[in-house]
């Protein structure tokens, strides 16, 4: 082995600028390809969205919390006709696992409340056409919000509101009425 103080020892490596790199960036790379990709992305009129479908079998519901993040948009999709039936104490319209829709919806609220403290929550209510009545949607929205505030108060300010135009005309007005719902009717 060679002593460290000998004149022919190998000096320590130091990064040297190459090509078009400056002293502040010791490694050189071609930025033209990156610039072209960034320009292409800026000119693209759509948004790329990555989604995880966490619904499904009950035995995997505990894993859902692993995928929820504060920085993401959480979308909870539910059958609004099933919720309407539950709120009116009618029999269930039938879910895949035999549970009531409102119970399952609040299980998801509990999962979101346990896993996140920030981030927007968007509710999407499917099968609204089964109700065939705009005021029923408002009733469902009000009832869900009241229950949500009482059980999970920190979640209610995180809900993305929907400004929905009721297609039927009011008896008092000739123009369609706009209402604010806590879910998007689909």
């Amino acid at each position: 082995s060679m002593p460290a103080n000998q004149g022919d020892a190998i000096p320590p490596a130091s990064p040297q600028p190459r090509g078009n790199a400056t002293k502040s960036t010791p490694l050189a790379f071609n930025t033209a390809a990156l610039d072209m990709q960034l320009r292409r992305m800026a000119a693209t009129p759509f948004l790329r969205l990555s989604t995880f479908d966490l619904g499904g079998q009950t035995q995997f519901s505990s894993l859902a919390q692993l995928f929820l993040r504060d920085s993401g948009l959480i979308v909870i999709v539910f059958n609004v006709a099933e919720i309407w039936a539950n709120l009116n104490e009618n029999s269930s319209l039938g879910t895949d696992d035999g549970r009531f829709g409102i119970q399952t919806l609040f299980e998801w609220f509990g999962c979101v409340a346990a896993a996140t403290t920030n981030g927007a929550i968007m509710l999407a209510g499917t099968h609204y056409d089964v109700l065939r009545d705009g005021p029923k949607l408002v009733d469902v929205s009000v009832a869900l919000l009241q229950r949500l505030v009482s059980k999970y108060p920190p979640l209610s300010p995180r809900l993305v509101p929907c400004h929905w135009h009721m297609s039927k005309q009011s008896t008092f007005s000739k123009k369609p009425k706009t209402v604010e719902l806590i879910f998007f009717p689909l």
Side-chain angles (χ1 to χ4, degrees):
S1 118
M2 196 180 281
N5 60 0
Q6 229 176 359
D8 59 344
I10 300 172
S14 62
Q16 297 295 321
R18 295 178 290 173
N20 64 355
T22 64
K23 289 184 181 182
S24 62
T25 56
L27 299 175
F29 61 94
N30 183 357
T31 61
L34 178 62
D35 290 341
M36 186 171 27
Q37 180 67 21
L38 289 174
R39 277 193 298 263
R40 190 179 309 133
M41 287 171 56
T44 305
F46 62 89
L47 173 71
R48 181 179 294 184
L49 190 62
S50 297
T51 60
F52 294 99
D53 181 0
L54 302 177
Q57 298 172 332
T58 307
Q59 62 263 29
F60 296 114
S61 63
S62 62
L63 295 175
Q65 291 184 13
L66 299 174
F67 297 98
L68 298 175
R69 299 286 179 260
D70 283 335
S71 62
L73 169 67
I74 298 169
V75 180
I76 301 176
V77 181
F78 64 95
N79 182 334
V80 73
E82 179 73 22
I83 302 298
W84 174 255
N86 295 158
L87 291 171
N88 288 298
E89 299 178 12
N90 296 332
S91 61
S92 172
L93 296 177
T95 59
D96 294 339
D97 57 3
R99 295 186 298 178
F100 288 110
I102 201 158
Q103 176 185 345
T104 305
L105 181 60
F106 274 83
E107 286 173 9
W108 280 109
F109 287 149
C111 182
V112 169
T116 66
T117 56
N118 294 315
I121 303 168
M122 187 172 101
L123 303 178
T126 63
H127 299 86
Y128 87 94
D129 56 325
V130 173
L131 298 180
R132 295 191 178 126
D133 190 3
K136 288 180 185 175
L137 292 178
V138 175
D139 292 344
V140 169
S141 182
V142 169
L144 282 179
L145 184 59
Q146 288 172 346
R147 291 175 186 214
L148 182 65
V149 167
S150 69
K151 190 158 184 173
Y152 301 108
L155 293 184
S156 60
R158 297 170 50 193
L159 293 173
V160 177
C162 170
H163 298 280
W164 188 66
H165 301 284
M166 295 175 66
S167 58
K168 291 187 177 182
Q169 293 180 351
S170 168
T171 55
F172 301 107
S173 172
K174 298 234 185 242
K175 57 185 178 178
K177 182 179 178 183
T178 301
V179 295
E180 184 172 292
L181 303 174
I182 66 165
F183 62 90
F184 290 78
L186 303 176

